[in-house]
Amino acid sequence: MPSSPEDTTESTESTDPLDSLVLHATDNGVSWITLNRPEAMNAVTWDQRERVIALLAEASADPAVRAVVLTATGRGFCAGADLRGAPATGDRVPGDVARTIRLGAQRLIAAVLDCEKPVIAAVNGTAAGIGAHLAFACDLVLAADSARFIEVFVRRGLVPDGGGAYLLPRLIGPQRAKELMFFGDSLAAREAERLGLVNRVVPDEELTATARAWAQRLADGPTRAIALTKQLVNASLDSDRATAFAAEAMAQEINMTTQDANEGVASFVERRTPKYRGV
């Protein structure tokens, strides 16, 4: 079970009860976002979702943050959406469901995909429904041996939402995606790794240390180059070759204006280890 790195992080005192449900700390350039409702397997509430979205936006805008880790406490990474905390809307009218999904689950997934810093999912336990999609939206996915992933929607007679039908075919192809979504079977971490949904599976007790090591490597890297690379890869899945090549050339043009790019070239010429500053 991962623990947040509070003993080595910068943090501020807060009386907001939401801060106890979404733990946040910054450690050596890494923003740690930790869902903390272990008694509910970290089923995410409306308030928690908004807090995570805000923290991801802050990470994008903060030059001191150069990587993000998204994780949770207890046995569950995120058991899906808990809509009991959503604002009351009165009687449902046509369009309410679609509007709720657009403004809710889809905004959460988009916040991860659009974050300008690399985001690592450290999946400590069950990731079901929107919880699985939250992990799959991250740039890198680490999973504990005990973790499992469940496309739970079909079990409830529902269509997958929160970007599932967009994310899974791009990660593992349409046939595998349909198998997971049609049957809703529990997928063990090792099988998820074999399919390509997970980068690395580690023993439970090594998850936090591995996430910290990966995040630190990212935080020590050329931040803008990594951000541009993330944008290129994500956009390429919806682009033709000409568009992708044009975007690649423009990204390199933009990147060459950064100090880190100049440092990288200079360190190569001078045969020394580069020291990137994230600018």
Side-chain angles (χ1 to χ4, degrees):
M1 178 183 73
S3 58
S4 59
E6 295 175 344
D7 54 334
T8 59
T9 58
E10 301 171 5
S11 60
T12 57
E13 294 295 329
S14 172
T15 58
D16 188 343
L18 181 58
D19 288 344
S20 68
L21 299 179
V22 181
L23 306 178
H24 179 246
T26 301
D27 180 10
N28 293 326
V30 179
S31 172
W32 289 76
I33 302 172
T34 305
L35 299 178
N36 188 39
R37 290 182 72 219
E39 73 284 356
M41 296 287 284
N42 291 302
V44 67
T45 66
W46 186 92
D47 286 339
Q48 284 179 299
R49 183 193 71 217
E50 294 305 305
R51 177 63 173 152
V52 171
I53 290 172
L55 288 171
L56 289 166
E58 290 172 14
S60 287
D62 187 351
V65 173
R66 298 172 64 182
V68 177
V69 175
L70 185 58
T71 189
T73 59
R75 297 182 299 108
F77 174 74
C78 177
D82 185 344
L83 299 179
R84 288 173 294 183
T89 57
D91 294 336
R92 181 183 296 171
V93 298
D96 275 353
V97 173
R99 189 177 308 106
T100 297
I101 292 170
R102 285 197 306 270
L103 298 178
Q106 290 177 351
R107 281 181 57 245
L108 177 61
I109 298 307
V112 178
L113 293 170
D114 295 340
C115 182
E116 295 178 30
K117 309 298 167 63
V119 183
I120 296 174
V123 184
N124 53 294
T126 298
I130 186 64
H133 301 166
L134 183 61
F136 299 152
C138 292
D139 302 299
L140 299 170
V141 183
L142 295 170
D145 268 319
S146 62
R148 57 193 180 120
F149 302 85
I150 311 172
E151 287 296 318
V152 75
F153 299 94
V154 71
R155 299 184 183 184
R156 310 288 182 258
L158 300 174
V159 172
D161 61 38
Y166 174 86
L167 292 167
L168 263 72
R170 286 164 169 76
L171 292 169
I172 59 175
Q175 279 73 30
R176 290 291 193 183
K178 290 171 187 174
E179 179 183 346
L180 296 179
M181 291 178 170
F182 288 0
F183 294 126
D185 293 335
S186 177
L187 190 67
R190 294 288 176 184
E191 181 65 7
E193 181 184 34
R194 188 186 70 80
L195 290 177
L197 290 168
V198 168
N199 291 88
R200 190 79 52 83
V201 177
V202 298
D204 287 36
E205 64 274 13
E206 296 178 13
L207 181 64
T208 298
T210 304
R212 188 188 299 277
W214 281 34
Q216 198 59 59
R217 289 184 64 185
L218 292 171
D220 291 340
T223 304
R224 293 307 304 162
I226 292 174
L228 289 165
T229 301
K230 172 176 178 172
Q231 292 171 12
L232 284 174
V233 172
N234 287 352
S236 74
L237 299 172
D238 300 309
S239 301
D240 57 54
R241 186 181 68 181
T243 301
F245 276 24
E248 175 186 272
M250 184 55 65
Q252 195 69 289
E253 175 78 19
I254 294 169
N255 186 62
M256 287 306 297
T257 67
T258 67
Q259 294 180 29
D260 279 349
N262 291 328
E263 166 65 7
V265 173
S267 65
F268 174 76
V269 173
E270 297 165 11
R271 298 187 178 183
R272 60 176 174 80
T273 301
K275 294 181 180 179
Y276 296 119
R277 299 173 52 209
V279 293

